[in-house]
Amino acid sequence: MSHLFSNYNKLPFEIVEGQGAYVKDQQGKEYLDLTSGIGVVNLGYGHPEVQQALLAQAEKLWHMPNLYESQLQETVAAQLVQQIPHTSEYAVYFCNSGAEANEAALKLARKATGRSQIISFQQSFHGRTFGAMSATGQAAIQDGFGPLVPGFTYLTYNDEAALAQALSADTAAVILELIQGEGGVIPAEKEWVQAVAAHCKENGTLLIIDEIQTGMGRTGTFYAFEQYDIEPDMFTLAKGLGNGIPVGALVGKAALKSAFGPGSHGSTFGGNKLAMAAAAVVCQQIAVPSLQDNVQARSAQLLAGLKDLPTVQAVRGSGLMIGLVLKDADTLQQVMQQLREAHVLALKAGTQVLRLLPPLTITEEETAAGIAILRSILG
């Protein structure tokens, strides 16, 4: 008997080690991992600089509460802000996960504006804590946990008219993903995002961009919002920020700092020494132009190699966040099982999308190997 809750559908094998884009199970079977641990291990498994930073910090100090200054936090915050193509000043709050980052953003939005309504979108996913879950536009995530946090409105994604009608003098914030990951790898239209930003500015509403899956180089730029020519009031990060070490961050305009004064919000482990040591290396590595060049090259290679498959209705996404929409939704689990049998790990998104989130460091040869197996199963 397992002493764990059964809230995960676990596969009957354990991953025990990894290097680069490959992982091994407890029996020594090797898999090409096209999931990056659900978009987390962006620099690949066993990254030497990240490991070295963690070991060096572990020999000094693992943890210290936020009662004292932290040069590591200042370093990572500066790295994150330096990557923003901005005219405004930004500040950073550190936590432990994407859900916590979104919770902080939602709290800050209400406190800073004095308003209560939060607009989100159908098929969105923002986390499983009460605020983040209430912002998530998927009934399946919310079922059984009611009543939810009040004040949330869910609109149709990529629909400007619906947003313009829903905005009011009580709208504190609009929160959106630039690619709805869990919802099916659905990209936001650039014109729509720019219209959302304009409507928010005109209405005095804060724009929150959830970059938890799209950020940290995943879509071919350090932040996905760079490709949309917008300046969000806040954006949230996690997943790839620590390359597997739990860490999240809320990045917001410095004008919002007064609403998050001493005692207003906090986290015991937020900005943990080990997490910051890892994040500092991750930020440095993802900022290297050759890494983003590789993301864009491997993305083009995947898109070219996966076109014209008879069982695939559409291929969508950006960078190394790609969704294959299967014509027959009933085959999704079967396809994933066949991939595992062929020693490839992939993910699902929604009900009929095969989701690929390979490490940003994946090579041309590894990508070609993955394409060959995908074509053999989906062709």
Side-chain angles (χ1 to χ4, degrees), residues 161-179:
L163 176 69
Q165 185 175 3
L167 280 171
S168 74
D170 192 43
T171 308
V174 173
I175 183 169
L176 63 89
E177 303 156 273
L178 294 172
I179 301 177

Side-chain angles (χ1 to χ4, degrees), residues 333-348:
Q333 293 298 337
Q334 178 186 346
V335 167
M336 293 179 67
Q337 176 62 32
Q338 289 175 318
L339 285 169
R340 288 192 293 270
E341 291 172 356
H343 297 196
V344 172
L345 302 180
L347 297 162
K348 71 179 184 70

Side-chain angles (χ1 to χ4, degrees), residues 25-364:
D25 67 16
Q26 77 277 21
Q27 296 180 336
K29 185 183 296 183
E30 189 172 65
Y31 302 84
L32 176 61
D33 184 9
L34 301 183
T35 78
S36 303
I38 315 184
V40 169
V41 191
N42 283 6
L43 297 179
Y45 297 94
H47 192 278
E49 283 87 353
V50 176
Q51 287 190 335
Q52 183 179 2
L54 284 169
L55 291 171
Q57 185 59 46
E59 290 180 349
K60 297 177 183 178
L61 191 66
W62 294 10
H63 168 77
M64 189 53 59
N66 286 298
L67 300 175
Y68 314 97
E69 291 188 358
S70 170
Q71 188 54 53
L72 272 171
Q73 289 186 16
E74 294 286 355
T75 296
V76 178
Q79 289 174 305
L80 294 174
V81 170
Q82 285 165 5
Q83 294 300 323
I84 304 171
H86 63 284
T87 56
S88 302
E89 293 299 318
Y90 282 81
V92 181
Y93 162 79
F94 290 111
C95 51
N96 309 288
S97 69
E100 287 184 43
N102 282 336
E103 286 283 338
L106 295 170
K107 288 179 66 175
L108 179 55
R110 283 184 168 177
K111 193 166 188 292
T113 63
R115 303 175 180 185
S116 62
Q117 184 194 34
I118 306 288
I119 291 177
S120 179
F121 296 91
Q122 294 164 10
Q123 299 308 310
S124 61
F125 182 85
H126 298 291
R128 295 180 184 271
T129 52
F130 259 98
M133 177 179 65
S134 298
T136 294
Q138 296 188 51
I141 302 296
Q142 301 167 340
D143 285 350
F145 296 109
L148 301 175
V149 177
F152 287 84
T153 301
Y154 314 104
L155 303 180
T156 303
Y157 197 61
N158 284 324
D159 184 340
E160 181 185 350
L163 176 69
Q165 185 175 3
L167 280 171
S168 74
D170 192 43
T171 308
V174 173
I175 183 169
L176 63 89
E177 303 156 273
L178 294 172
I179 301 177
Q180 290 187 326
E182 300 293 332
V185 192
I186 305 169
E189 297 168 0
K190 184 173 182 177
E191 294 78 9
W192 176 71
V193 173
Q194 292 179 337
V196 170
H199 284 302
C200 285
K201 186 174 183 178
E202 182 180 354
N203 196 59
T205 295
L206 300 176
L207 176 60
I208 305 169
I209 302 297
D210 181 336
E211 287 262 18
I212 289 162
Q213 195 165 141
T214 57
M216 304 311 297
R218 174 58 55 184
T219 66
T221 49
F222 201 98
Y223 303 122
F225 70 76
E226 297 176 53
Q227 302 169 37
Y228 288 80
D229 298 325
I230 60 167
E231 189 177 272
D233 297 293
M234 290 184 263
F235 62 95
T236 52
L237 301 166
K239 287 192 179 291
L241 179 55
N243 209 59
I245 304 301
V247 58
L250 160 64
V251 185
K253 288 185 176 178
L256 301 170
K257 288 175 71 172
S258 60
F260 256 15
S264 60
H265 191 61
S267 167
T268 297
F269 297 107
N272 174 273
K273 299 286 188 182
L274 290 175
M276 292 294 96
V281 175
V282 170
C283 289
Q284 182 183 56
Q285 293 289 317
I286 289 179
V288 174
S290 60
L291 181 74
Q292 293 308 316
D293 291 343
N294 188 66
V295 171
Q296 294 167 17
R298 301 291 71 77
S299 177
Q301 183 182 0
L302 279 165
L303 293 174
L306 297 174
K307 65 181 181 180
D308 302 325
L309 289 165
T311 60
V312 175
Q313 177 178 316
V315 181
R316 61 195 183 204
S318 179
L320 289 178
M321 185 175 180
I322 294 174
L324 282 70
V325 185
L326 303 185
K327 291 180 178 178
D328 185 354
D330 294 335
T331 65
L332 180 56
Q333 293 298 337
Q334 178 186 346
V335 167
M336 293 179 67
Q337 176 62 32
Q338 289 175 318
L339 285 169
R340 288 192 293 270
E341 291 172 356
H343 297 196
V344 172
L345 302 180
L347 297 162
K348 71 179 184 70
T351 58
Q352 66 184 93
V353 177
L354 184 70
R355 180 170 37 152
L356 307 179
L357 299 171
L360 310 187
T361 54
I362 192 169
T363 67
E364 181 178 359

